[in-house]
Amino acid sequence: MDQKGYKVAIVGASGEVGRSLIQTLERYPIPVASLRLLASKRSAGKTLMFKGQSLVIEELNKDSFEGIDLAFFSAGGDVSLEYAPIAVNSGAVVIDNTSAFRMDPNIPLVVPEVNAHVLSKDTRLIANPNCSTIQLVVALKPLVEVYGIESVNVSTYQAISGAGAKALYEYDQELIDPSYEPQILPARSDQRYYQMAHNVIPQIDVFMPNGYTKEELKMINETHKILDDDTIKVNATCVRVPVRYGHSVATTVKLKKAVENKDQVIQLFKESEGVIVRDDIHHQEYPMPAYIAHCDEVFVGRIRKDLDEENVIHFWVVADNILKGAALNSVQIAYYMHRQGLLGD
Ligand SMILES: NC(=O)c1ccc[n+]([C@@H]2O[C@H](COP(=O)([O-])OP(=O)(O)OC[C@H]3O[C@@H](n4cnc5c(N)ncnc54)[C@H](OP(=O)(O)O)[C@@H]3O)[C@@H](O)[C@H]2O)c1
């Protein structure tokens, strides 16, 4: 960092997450001396605004990281696998939004409210978790601390923006033109595509040999890594729903101790960093994607005790998948490192 701040690069700047990274950096108190926008040949030459300045997107290449202090990656796993090590070798700290390094035992997987303590001065590459996992672990954190957790069972209701800018475009086309041929969801590498409009797809990403989707296994494995506890039994069913922004997660948690009344749990969530409680059934208040999209926090509602089991609770967690689920969480990691003096030489 020079006197004016960090020299920052964003790889995948033209994408859903990349554009949100630019906007989040504009409003976060991280000193940015310069910003380099990188994407593929397709977007090179296009411009995007940052703090009132028009910046030209450059095509990513091996020299893109010369002089860069901090690089955010959100251009898919293959790009990260190839270029993140180059960025690190050039002296940058890399925060990666893809799944490329998340389960690497040597690379921290971080949600600042939950496990920022794993970051150190030696950390050069940090993985940003899967979007649904981030909002889930923010909600689980206070429960782990006060009650301990035996098991977590979730069903997700994930927005289309989670599949990127092209999926959102395709969804809009489907709404306008019912004869539009889908080409992206449920997984770009599959042979069969389904319409998103007026539909609910119980598949996100490809199927694995055990019958779970890759997205479901990400939620399970990443939750274990972030909470640093493989003994918690986690199960997930991940579903794509026709919502533009905002993932919702219906969550059932079996605690290690009984809950006397749900007000204790509500109070616990209220006191938790990054959580906002919207829970008033008398006024039909609960979090919904249409009302919390573009907000920074993780919203929790529909908090209730199980009808049969003393140590089981149910609740509903909603967050903006592009913000807390990706761009914001990355910038919060950078901001934490900046404040702790962990960025730079
Ligand atoms: N959307 C979410 O909710 C979310 C949440 C967490 C993590 N992520 C992860 O973040 C990454 C980006 O997601 P997204 O939703 O922003 O996708 P997106 O809207 O499809 O954007 C992809 C970006 O990557 C760039 N790109 C693609 N191939 C490239 C290449 N070979 N070289 C350089 N740049 C290339 C694209 O540039 P062009 O414009 O030139 O094509 C674009 O800027 C993915 O790995 C995704 O899994 C997404």
Side-chain angles (χ1 to χ4, degrees):
M1 177 169 100
D2 65 19
Q3 277 174 336
K4 289 190 198 144
Y6 302 103
K7 296 188 186 74
V8 179
I10 297 177
V11 182
S14 53
E16 275 297 314
V17 176
R19 281 181 279 127
S20 183
L21 277 164
I22 298 169
Q23 290 163 4
T24 309
L25 275 175
E26 275 185 330
R27 65 184 171 89
Y28 244 70
I30 295 180
V32 177
S34 65
L35 181 61
R36 183 174 293 169
L37 304 183
L38 300 159
S40 80
K41 214 181 336 195
R42 290 179 292 274
S43 293
K46 292 182 185 164
T47 57
L48 288 168
M49 297 300 285
F50 176 67
K51 294 191 174 172
Q53 255 190 304
S54 172
L55 302 181
V56 179
I57 300 174
E58 299 167 37
E59 185 180 350
L60 174 66
N61 66 59
K62 291 189 165 51
D63 301 323
S64 297
F65 303 99
E66 273 173 26
I68 294 295
D69 303 308
L70 174 63
F72 296 95
F73 274 68
S74 67
D78 292 343
V79 173
S80 291
L81 284 170
E82 185 175 353
Y83 287 93
I86 296 173
V88 168
N89 286 334
S90 307
V93 167
V94 169
I95 301 175
D96 181 40
N97 264 284
T98 77
S99 56
F101 304 104
R102 287 181 191 152
M103 293 315 296
D104 183 327
N106 299 315
I107 294 180
L109 182 66
V110 177
V111 179
E113 297 92 326
V114 181
N115 65 339
H117 60 269
V118 299
L119 296 165
S120 78
K121 189 82 185 157
D122 297 328
T123 310
R124 310 306 292 173
L125 176 51
I126 304 107
N128 197 70
N130 163 274
C131 38
S132 304
T133 310
I134 292 177
Q135 66 188 73
L136 175 66
V137 294
V138 168
L140 294 181
K141 164 86 169 165
L143 300 173
V144 169
E145 283 173 351
V146 173
Y147 295 97
I149 292 181
E150 250 180 67
S151 68
V152 180
N153 199 340
V154 298
S155 292
T156 69
Y157 302 64
Q158 296 184 217
I160 294 153
S161 55
K166 285 186 187 140
L168 265 184
Y169 170 82
E170 187 156 296
Y171 173 59
D172 289 340
Q173 293 310 304
E174 289 171 8
L175 289 174
I176 300 164
D177 173 9
S179 67
Y180 183 87
E181 280 288 327
Q183 294 158 38
I184 290 183
L185 296 173
R188 275 189 222 185
S189 52
D190 281 4
Q191 304 96 342
R192 293 194 71 176
Y193 302 104
Y194 298 117
Q195 72 173 59
M196 190 63 264
H198 319 297
N199 199 10
V200 164
I201 304 178
Q203 178 191 349
I204 299 182
D205 212 328
V206 294
F207 280 105
M208 305 305 281
N210 63 6
Y212 282 74
T213 63
K214 215 170 176 182
E215 182 83 354
E216 289 160 353
L217 295 183
K218 281 179 198 168
M219 284 197 81
I220 295 165
N221 297 331
E222 292 179 25
T223 299
H224 284 151
K225 182 168 174 179
I226 298 162
L227 297 179
D228 192 23
D229 187 351
D230 286 349
T231 67
I232 298 175
K233 296 181 192 108
V234 184
N235 208 343
T237 302
C238 292
V239 180
R240 187 77 67 191
V241 294
V243 165
R244 288 177 66 83
Y245 292 97
H247 289 355
S248 306
V249 183
T251 309
T252 294
V253 178
K254 186 168 193 179
L255 301 160
K256 287 186 177 163
K257 291 185 213 158
V259 173
E260 271 170 40
N261 63 66
K262 75 167 186 174
D263 292 341
Q264 289 174 339
V265 178
I266 292 175
Q267 192 54 32
L268 196 57
F269 281 134
K270 281 186 175 164
E271 289 163 6
S272 293
E273 193 187 345
V275 174
I276 292 187
V277 173
R278 287 270 159 82
D279 191 304
D280 181 357
I281 51 172
H282 304 296
H283 296 93
Q284 288 170 239
E285 262 207 49
Y286 32 75
M288 287 175 279
Y291 297 92
I292 67 84
H294 315 303
C295 293
D296 286 352
E297 295 82 4
V298 171
F299 292 77
V300 181
R302 297 295 323 276
I303 301 159
R304 59 213 189 276
K305 279 183 63 172
D306 189 77
L307 294 177
D308 298 306
E309 296 189 68
E310 277 298 298
N311 58 339
V312 173
I313 55 170
H314 308 277
F315 49 91
W316 175 249
V317 187
V318 187
D320 187 312
N321 52 299
I322 303 292
L323 279 173
K324 187 58 189 166
L328 174 71
N329 196 67
S330 303
V331 172
Q332 287 173 330
I333 292 169
Y335 184 54
Y336 175 88
M337 294 183 79
H338 164 65
R339 276 184 313 162
Q340 300 294 318
L342 307 178
L343 279 181
D345 302 329

